[in-house]
Amino acid sequence: EPPKRKRDELLNDIFEAAVKGDNNSYYEDFAEMETRFRRKSSDIAVDLLKLLRDKFTNKVYSVGEVDMSKVDSLEYLLEGYLIKGEVGVLYAPFATGKTSLACGMIRAGFNKVGFLDQVRKRDSFESLFIMSDGGANRFKEVYDQAKLNSSMVKVWASDNKQAKDNWKCDLRGLIKLHKYLKKNPQIKLIIIDSVISMLSGTTFEYRDNTEVDLIVDFIRSIICEPLGVSVMLLSHLSTDKAASSGAKRWVGAAGWVAEIRSITVNENEDFTKRKLLIRKDPINGKRVFDFKIENSNFI
């Protein structure tokens, strides 16, 4: 009988199986890790993401002193809204226009124009919209209304006709995303709809503060910072209407956070207007203003 693999050897084999797409070896080795080393699946997943970060960045991470002269200053991808190398969170109640607002960012960034209250122009960029909450047909209507096209944005979503599945934020999902972005360096914005669906079916729980902290950190260190992109996560309003749904750390761990609210007039909702509350912006600070959409334009 061959000698049993040590923990690090087994972990590396699981990782390599994920990179190669060898599902049989991946699940066999994963089960062995759970059984032999008495590790929870969520703990193994965290170990694998740490290994992914180390391999893709070619760095060995440790805790210690930082040379601030080597730290890059924060810079907008889209003035006032998207920060290069950072994770953002946009949350709102159902049917208040999160996806539409995100599509407005896509179009403004591609056309090099200011968005909403901002007039400064930045370099043009292309986007990737990952629809993990439902099928591609659910995004199709907003896509058409926003007058998007394949030059502006690529779309990942489930579609039975094209034999496509939803993307998940796990080891294999992040490997696929990293490889895709390396091949398409013109894509600088990734919008993921939504945080709860991207973790559905994974070992991570979107209500767990500790795991959410890790997920946001891994997205930042594996995807955002090394590739110079911005990731915008779309989420729903929490049941207490105080913040984003799920763990409180979605808001705490993200670098940029905003909320959309509906506007009521005489106790009736005004469907033509919305209020945007930018609750966290390390460059320009907080701000609040009303906006509306006319003929697919944000005003």
Side-chain angles (χ1 to χ4, degrees):
E1 183 179 346
K4 294 185 182 297
R5 290 168 289 183
K6 295 181 179 179
R7 176 190 172 279
D8 288 350
E9 294 173 334
L10 182 56
L11 189 69
N12 192 71
D13 286 346
I14 298 172
F15 178 84
E16 292 301 330
V19 172
K20 296 174 183 176
D22 184 351
N23 287 335
N24 289 330
S25 297
Y26 177 85
Y27 285 111
E28 288 174 5
D29 291 346
F30 201 103
E32 182 179 342
M33 177 70 81
E34 287 180 298
T35 304
R36 283 185 53 211
F37 294 96
R38 293 181 173 84
R39 297 279 288 170
K40 295 189 299 182
S41 57
S42 58
D43 293 333
I44 300 172
V46 169
D47 290 339
L48 288 168
L49 290 180
K50 288 179 180 177
L51 187 60
L52 174 65
R53 179 192 62 187
D54 296 346
K55 285 181 177 290
F56 278 11
T57 59
N58 293 317
K59 297 176 182 178
V60 177
Y61 286 76
S62 62
V63 177
E65 182 182 348
V66 173
D67 184 347
M68 293 303 294
S69 66
K70 297 180 180 179
V71 177
D72 295 330
S73 299
L74 293 176
E75 182 182 357
Y76 284 120
L77 177 68
L78 178 65
E79 190 71 20
Y81 297 91
L82 306 170
I83 301 175
K84 292 181 181 178
E86 260 297 350
V87 178
V89 171
L90 175 65
Y91 66 93
F94 287 101
T96 49
K98 296 185 299 296
T99 306
S100 295
L101 190 70
C103 288
M105 295 179 187
I106 291 172
R107 199 172 63 177
F110 181 81
N111 292 326
K112 295 193 298 185
V113 297
F115 186 61
L116 290 180
D117 64 328
Q118 302 294 311
V119 296
R120 180 176 176 179
K121 303 173 183 179
R122 294 276 177 171
D123 293 337
S124 176
F125 60 83
E126 295 179 24
S127 302
L128 170 65
F129 194 101
I130 300 178
M131 183 72 180
S132 58
D133 190 2
N137 54 357
R138 192 177 296 180
F139 179 56
K140 172 72 171 173
E141 183 177 354
V142 181
Y143 179 93
D144 289 340
Q145 287 177 350
K147 299 180 181 178
L148 301 182
N149 57 57
S150 59
S151 297
M152 298 179 183
V153 58
K154 302 299 185 286
V155 180
W156 286 8
S158 68
D159 185 64
N160 290 330
K161 188 177 181 180
Q162 301 176 61
K164 298 296 183 181
D165 280 331
N166 279 330
W167 178 84
K168 298 298 179 185
C169 187
D170 55 12
L171 174 69
R172 288 170 293 177
L174 288 173
I175 289 173
K176 181 178 179 64
L177 179 58
H178 189 276
K179 287 182 176 179
Y180 183 81
L181 294 173
K182 289 283 284 186
K183 291 180 180 179
N184 298 275
Q186 75 280 7
I187 294 177
K188 294 300 180 183
L189 169 62
I190 300 96
I191 295 172
I192 304 176
D193 188 4
S194 63
V195 295
I196 183 172
S197 59
M198 77 177 188
L199 296 181
S200 176
T202 72
T203 59
F204 297 109
E205 170 54 58
Y206 96 112
R207 297 183 183 88
D208 187 291
N209 282 302
T210 301
E211 294 185 5
V212 166
D213 250 341
L214 290 169
I215 284 293
V216 173
D217 182 57
F218 283 130
I219 292 175
R220 182 185 291 112
S221 59
I222 295 170
I223 303 296
C224 296
E225 291 181 350
L227 300 178
V229 304
S230 178
V231 171
M232 180 66 70
L233 304 175
L234 306 187
S235 183
H236 300 300
L237 185 67
S238 60
T239 53
D240 61 4
K241 300 182 179 181
S244 171
S245 64
K248 293 182 178 180
R249 288 302 297 166
W250 285 115
V251 170
W256 185 95
V257 179
E259 175 188 359
I260 301 174
R261 286 186 183 176
S262 58
I263 294 177
T264 57
V265 179
N266 298 324
E267 299 183 355
N268 294 315
E269 183 176 350
D270 183 349
F271 292 101
T272 65
K273 295 180 181 179
R274 292 287 184 262
K275 184 179 293 292
L276 186 64
L277 299 86
I278 298 180
R279 298 190 171 280
K280 186 177 184 180
D281 184 341
I283 301 178
N284 278 342
K286 299 179 180 180
R287 59 191 195 277
V288 179
F289 57 89
D290 295 346
F291 71 94
K292 59 182 178 179
I293 306 175
E294 288 185 358
N295 299 321
S296 301
N297 294 315
F298 288 82
I299 303 172

